[in-house]
Amino acid sequence: MSSATVEAWPENPVGPVGRTRRGFRAWRRTRPFWGGLLAMIAGVPILYFPYAHLSLGGLTVAMATTAGAGSMIIGLLMISLGLTAWFQPLVRIFCGVATTILALISVPVSNLGGFGMGLVPGLIAGGLLVSWAPLPEPVADPATESAAEFAAAPQPAPVAQLPAQAAAERPLEHGAVPQAPAGEEQR
């Protein structure tokens, strides 16, 4: 391998695709992404099947039901709940409960919940949305702090202890009898 080949590589081999991917990953980790995605996916078959015209050979089968408007409302609400969970993660519990209820309501209203293709992802999405929690903020480890930062922090003033306080702070071993300090008289 020649030195010209090594020098041809850029300083940052990640490039714009890698930066976009990392940015999307950071965005995805701060919200209930998979629950919202499944809620939107579950809304599509619930919305689609009551209005679909399937053709089997020369025969056209219409799945239209009397509850077509109900199916449309349930499907659109599930899609909007998935988007809401993505862009407003604080309302994820409401979105999860509402997604679960809508998925269950879709069983009698929308052709058995879109023939199960909307029911199952809707129930899973509701569980994922309710159970998602943001990651806790990382806590600074005192061992990694520099000595200058530790020295700059205000230290509490030393307080004199009474003998009884000093005795109370010493832990007792199993089976040991508490004893008064040597300089204290017993009454």
Side-chain angles (χ1 to χ4, degrees):
M1 187 177 216
S2 68
S3 62
T5 308
V6 174
E7 293 174 11
W9 288 96
E11 291 284 326
N12 186 1
V14 175
V17 174
R19 282 190 298 272
T20 304
R21 188 170 156 256
R22 277 197 220 137
F24 176 69
R25 181 188 300 163
W27 178 83
R28 187 186 74 211
R29 289 181 178 176
T30 60
R31 57 204 72 246
F33 179 77
W34 297 111
L37 182 65
L38 276 175
M40 289 185 278
I41 289 172
V44 172
I46 292 172
L47 181 66
Y48 174 74
F49 283 123
Y51 297 103
H53 295 286
L54 304 173
S55 61
L56 301 171
L59 181 64
T60 301
V61 178
M63 300 299 248
T65 63
T66 57
S71 298
M72 182 176 64
I73 290 171
I74 290 173
L76 290 176
L77 279 175
M78 288 183 78
I79 292 169
S80 66
L81 285 169
L83 286 170
T84 302
W86 275 3
F87 295 108
Q88 296 292 327
L90 293 176
V91 295
R92 67 190 180 275
I93 294 174
F94 168 76
C95 291
V97 170
T99 300
T100 303
I101 291 171
L102 286 172
L104 290 173
I105 289 173
S106 72
V107 172
V109 172
S110 177
N111 296 331
L112 300 174
F115 301 114
M117 289 185 278
L119 173 68
V120 174
L123 294 175
I124 294 171
L128 287 173
L129 289 171
V130 168
S131 66
W132 184 84
L135 292 173
E137 294 293 325
V139 178
D141 187 16
T144 59
E145 290 181 0
S146 67
E149 290 176 0
F150 184 72
Q155 301 294 327
V159 178
Q161 291 185 338
L162 298 173
Q165 289 174 336
E169 289 180 2
R170 287 183 294 205
L172 293 177
E173 294 179 13
H174 180 68
V177 177
Q179 297 177 356
E184 187 178 317
E185 294 180 17
Q186 292 187 355
R187 297 181 188 169

